Amino acid sequence: MGDALARQCLLACARAGGASLAALYRIDHQARPADFQLLGLATPMHQSYLERYQGSDPLHPRHCQNLAIDLVPLRLGQAAQAAGSRERYAGFLARHGICDVVEIFARQAGQAVLGLSLLRREAEGAFSAGELERLQGLQAMLALALPRLATHSASVGLTALTPRERELAELLRAGHGNKRLAQLLGIGLPTVKTHLINLYRKVGVANRTELVTALFL
């Protein structure tokens, strides 16, 4: 996703939606989010989401793909969740001071290809029914922006990685564990984990198996 254009779109959507926190992302053919553009979201929170809470997110594209609507409030997503997952994700949001979330999707040929998360802090309050109704206009704006964003988009492959990232990807392909990666790269284990998180996020995958599949298969 073209960074400058996506950033402009993200800022405009966040302002129009009355949210100080937001994320814009591409959705791949397996309904996985990738190429995140973040506004106001701290990196540790986002990394924690990717590592531990993505699977329990009721507004994850995979969970919303069968819905017939393109604007999904948090409470609607939660209504379809099992109690354990709902409580787990609600706890994650509460720890970071988030009281409400709305997910907006833009589609091509019926398939969601772009997602926008609007998050409200506790001080900002939850989205009202009137605000949710007005956000339908924002969904239309996102759909209009989609062709231009798609023009600047490309699936992340080896050529989009830095030399260090390509080196790490090749070592993962060879099946090395984290300790061996640290030895071969001459870095500490915490640094290896940070590199992996950043690489997963860049490629739009959740683990090393998905990474190797996306880059090499």
Side-chain angles (χ1 to χ4, degrees):
M1 188 184 303
D3 287 352
L5 183 61
R7 189 72 179 172
Q8 290 173 6
C9 182
L10 177 58
L11 287 168
C13 289
R15 291 194 188 103
S20 59
L21 308 175
L24 182 68
Y25 55 90
R26 179 177 59 83
I27 302 171
D28 71 13
H29 65 285
Q30 293 182 340
R32 298 176 303 191
D35 297 348
F36 286 92
Q37 291 280 337
L38 305 178
L39 177 66
L41 291 167
T43 299
M45 175 187 174
H46 186 60
Q47 290 180 342
S48 177
Y49 168 80
L50 293 176
E51 287 183 302
R52 302 178 58 194
Y53 294 98
Q54 196 171 181
S56 57
D57 179 0
L59 302 182
H60 189 285
R62 187 179 294 114
H63 298 152
C64 296
Q65 62 184 343
N66 294 325
L67 297 177
I69 55 176
D70 292 327
L71 191 150
V72 188
L74 177 64
R75 56 181 173 270
L76 179 61
Q78 289 176 325
Q81 273 190 301
S85 294
R86 182 168 60 247
E87 292 169 4
R88 173 178 168 79
Y89 196 71
F92 166 70
L93 293 178
R95 282 194 295 277
H96 292 281
I98 307 300
C99 72
D100 203 6
V101 186
V102 169
E103 211 77 10
I104 301 174
F105 300 102
R107 298 177 185 270
Q108 281 184 335
Q111 178 71 36
V113 295
L114 196 68
L116 172 69
S117 298
L118 297 176
L119 302 92
R120 286 263 181 97
R121 298 182 189 274
E122 292 174 355
E124 297 168 327
F127 291 95
S128 68
E131 287 174 324
L132 290 175
E133 186 175 344
R134 289 194 293 274
L135 284 176
Q136 292 290 348
L138 186 57
Q139 193 281 330
M141 185 176 77
L142 190 64
L144 287 172
L146 181 58
R148 287 195 65 199
L149 287 168
T151 301
H152 291 268
S153 299
S155 298
V156 174
L158 284 173
T159 57
L161 304 182
T162 66
R164 190 65 154 177
E165 288 170 340
R166 286 198 296 272
E167 182 182 12
L168 179 58
E170 292 286 358
L171 292 173
L172 289 173
R173 184 187 189 187
H176 296 300
N178 285 6
K179 288 184 179 179
R180 183 58 178 158
L181 290 174
Q183 293 172 347
L184 292 171
L185 297 173
I187 56 179
L189 272 175
T191 305
V192 168
K193 292 177 181 178
T194 299
H195 283 328
L196 288 175
I197 289 170
N198 291 336
L199 189 54
Y200 294 163
R201 181 170 58 187
K202 187 170 186 177
V203 180
V205 297
N207 55 54
R208 63 186 63 206
T209 301
E210 291 182 3
L211 179 80
V212 171
T213 300
L215 292 177
F216 299 104
L217 300 182

